[in-house]
Amino acid sequence: MDLQSILNDIAAEMAAAPDRGKVADYIPELASVDAKRFGIAVALPDGRCMTAGDAEVAFSIQSVSKVFTLALALGRLGDQLWARVGREPSGLPFNSILQLEQENGIPRNPFINAGALAVTDAILAGHQPKELLGELLRFVQTSAEDADIHINEAVAQSETEHGDRNMALAHFMAAHGNLSNRPELTCGTYFHQCAIEMTCRQLAMAGRFLAGGHGAPHMISPQRVRRINALMLTCGHYDASGDFAYRVGLPGKSGVGGGILVIAPGRASIAVWSPGLNRHGNSQLGTLAVERLAQATGWSIFG
Ligand code: GLU
């Protein structure tokens, strides 16, 4: 299989795509990203990495960071984490507050905003935000084998200024006794984790610990890897998780910056980036591109 030429074909198709979706505009730093950007990278377990398009341009990973904090949280707290957050798809948008009231402040899963806030809050307890963010960056840098991965302070600052909804989610959980730190502290840490910037190459490399296979970095136990992949499949694309599973057949986690991390277990870690989003807040061309890649390679967890 000639992966490089598959990626070249996909990048050429995406460059010509007329409908690129709508770039997130809730903060100026994301609104100003060029909608024409498209990058894709496929990292094999042994670290070989093939790329096409804008795969060396750094973008805001946003909610893709939730995968890394979940890995840290499971490592630190184990199954205790599940007292604070569920494992069911929400069927609602990423920032919905609706279910949180109905379900007594326990978010449905770790990948909607409320759930990610609960995860960040859980690993923040007893630590300074700086300490935790340093640990998170080291985790990402180690799995990517690349020290040149940073947090964009301007993005984090902007998220804070426009963070009313996330603050509301945090306050709501606090009211239900499901927050250990002050809402400002948990949200501030969460905004910084979302503001991590990575290129497609770096993100694909960083995801190899979830792909496993010969030569992949061993960051967490194989059982936890399988479980994170299960959650990515069922909850990784908010209320479009079913559609992503149907079209792509692989676990994936999207972010509002237009990035998606996709795992082909035992085979590869894939990162794709195109900033235009579909109506569910997932990268429009990113989704299409990984659908094409799955078709061309035959990679699927469904046989
Ligand atoms: N920082 C974004 C928020 O909390 C992340 C959402 C996303 O990437 O889907 O609103």
Side-chain angles (χ1 to χ4, degrees):
M1 178 164 56
D2 184 356
L3 262 176
Q4 186 60 59
S5 68
I6 293 173
L7 295 186
N8 294 346
D9 289 350
I10 292 172
E13 183 190 342
M14 297 307 142
D19 181 7
R20 312 186 75 85
K22 194 173 169 299
V23 177
D25 57 5
Y26 72 99
I27 55 170
E29 286 77 6
L30 292 183
S32 62
V33 178
D34 181 1
K36 289 226 157 55
R37 294 288 197 185
F38 173 85
I40 189 164
V42 176
L44 303 180
D46 64 8
R48 277 176 295 155
C49 188
M50 271 118 320
T51 67
D54 300 312
E56 310 286 354
V57 179
F59 61 91
S60 196
I61 69 165
Q62 293 291 326
S63 283
V64 182
S65 67
K66 295 169 182 174
V67 171
F68 300 107
T69 46
L70 178 62
L72 270 187
L74 286 175
R76 207 185 277 175
L77 305 171
D79 284 345
Q80 277 177 20
L81 181 71
W82 304 120
R84 299 197 46 187
V85 58
R87 301 192 291 259
E88 292 295 341
S90 70
L92 288 169
F94 68 101
N95 57 3
S96 173
I97 198 163
L98 212 74
Q99 250 162 14
L100 205 51
E101 169 148 40
Q102 285 163 346
E103 299 179 0
N104 302 320
I106 306 289
R108 270 284 171 103
N109 68 66
F111 294 149
I112 51 172
N113 282 14
L117 286 165
V119 170
T120 298
D121 181 71
I123 45 177
L124 183 58
H127 293 77
Q128 292 298 321
K130 268 212 160 97
E131 230 179 281
L132 175 64
L133 289 165
E135 190 182 341
L136 175 63
L137 268 182
R138 277 192 300 280
F139 185 98
V140 174
Q141 290 165 342
T142 306
S143 53
E145 294 176 47
D146 190 335
D148 191 19
I149 297 171
H150 311 278
I151 291 173
N152 182 324
E153 263 310 318
V155 171
Q157 194 50 45
S158 234
E159 294 271 1
T160 310
E161 282 157 23
H162 297 82
D164 292 334
R165 208 173 165 105
N166 285 310
M167 281 290 282
L169 293 169
H171 274 288
F172 208 88
M173 288 192 286
H176 281 279
N178 194 17
L179 209 74
S180 325
N181 306 281
R182 289 302 308 146
E184 306 74 47
L185 215 59
T186 298
C187 284
T189 311
Y190 168 79
F191 294 143
H192 279 80
Q193 83 181 50
C194 286
I196 295 175
E197 288 190 336
M198 292 170 87
T199 67
C200 285
R201 178 193 292 275
Q202 289 172 328
L203 185 56
M205 288 294 284
R208 285 181 306 141
F209 81 97
L210 292 171
H214 187 68
H218 181 90
M219 307 290 290
I220 54 173
S221 75
Q223 188 192 41
R224 292 211 168 106
V225 164
R226 284 193 288 273
R227 290 178 161 175
I228 293 176
N229 278 318
L231 289 164
M232 288 171 75
L233 185 79
T234 51
C235 313
H237 280 73
Y238 310 119
D239 47 342
S241 299
D243 188 57
F244 188 87
Y246 179 85
R247 288 172 60 187
V248 180
L250 296 169
K253 180 73 205 88
S254 72
V256 81
I260 311 178
L261 173 64
V262 182
I263 304 301
R267 297 178 185 277
S269 163
I270 302 144
V272 65
W273 171 53
S274 173
L277 308 178
N278 62 23
R279 68 191 171 88
H280 296 290
N282 302 310
S283 175
Q284 167 119 343
L285 292 188
T287 308
L288 183 61
V290 284
E291 185 180 6
R292 294 277 191 271
L293 180 66
Q295 279 163 358
T297 56
W299 291 344
S300 166
I301 60 166
F302 298 109

